Amino acid sequence: MDKVFIKGLSIQTTIGFFQWEKEIKQTLVIDVAMGWNTANAAKNDELAKTLDYADISVSIERFANDNPVDLIETLAERLANFLMTQYQIPWLKLSIGKPGAVHNAQTVGVEIERGTQEITC
């Protein structure tokens, strides 16, 4: 399976359980790998037949800011569903890290995988 990926997408959004977290923006770092048949785009060098990672990056940040939640688990689940539906992605692996959330840890977070990796040509 071919994959299109975005690594280390740093966004500022409101997320957290505590009241003080609801009043500030915090950094999240997002990695996403998306199953996609890249041969269709490569055949005639066509952007319209691939996943536009620039557009997806903007959509991720917009989604996170338009849909504030308490838990990164909730954001991961909803974001995965949104991306798969919006871009007709059959499979993705999504990781969301929250740097600085735990003292002495570089980051904490969740990683989820949704869909099926079987893609027909």
Side-chain angles (χ1 to χ4, degrees):
M1 170 196 298
D2 303 333
K3 295 175 185 163
V4 174
F5 64 87
I6 301 166
K7 289 186 180 179
L9 179 65
S10 181
I11 67 168
Q12 297 290 312
T13 192
T14 303
I15 190 159
F17 177 78
F18 300 105
Q19 185 58 40
W20 64 268
E21 291 181 293
K22 297 177 188 313
E23 298 169 4
I24 64 169
K25 297 271 186 177
Q26 296 186 71
T27 300
L28 296 179
V29 179
I30 298 172
D31 294 335
V32 61
M34 301 160 284
W36 196 255
N37 183 352
T38 63
N40 291 333
K43 183 176 181 180
N44 293 311
D45 206 23
E46 295 179 72
L47 176 63
K49 291 186 177 178
T50 192
L51 292 174
D52 184 343
Y53 44 78
D55 181 63
I56 292 171
S57 296
V58 170
S59 291
I60 288 170
E61 184 165 18
R62 184 177 302 124
F63 183 88
N65 281 293
D66 289 349
N67 300 280
V69 293
D70 290 349
L71 304 174
I72 57 175
E73 292 86 349
T74 306
L75 178 59
E77 189 65 36
R78 291 178 184 177
L79 181 57
N81 185 56
F82 166 76
L83 292 173
M84 292 178 80
T85 302
Q86 182 72 21
Y87 296 96
Q88 292 82 48
I89 299 167
W91 171 89
L92 65 71
K93 182 187 237 181
L94 175 67
S95 153
I96 302 178
K98 192 175 178 183
V102 173
H103 182 68
N104 294 335
Q106 182 179 4
T107 193
V108 297
V110 299
E111 181 178 88
I112 64 172
E113 188 173 332
R114 298 291 180 265
T116 178
Q117 290 195 38
E118 295 180 26
I119 295 179
T120 58
C121 293

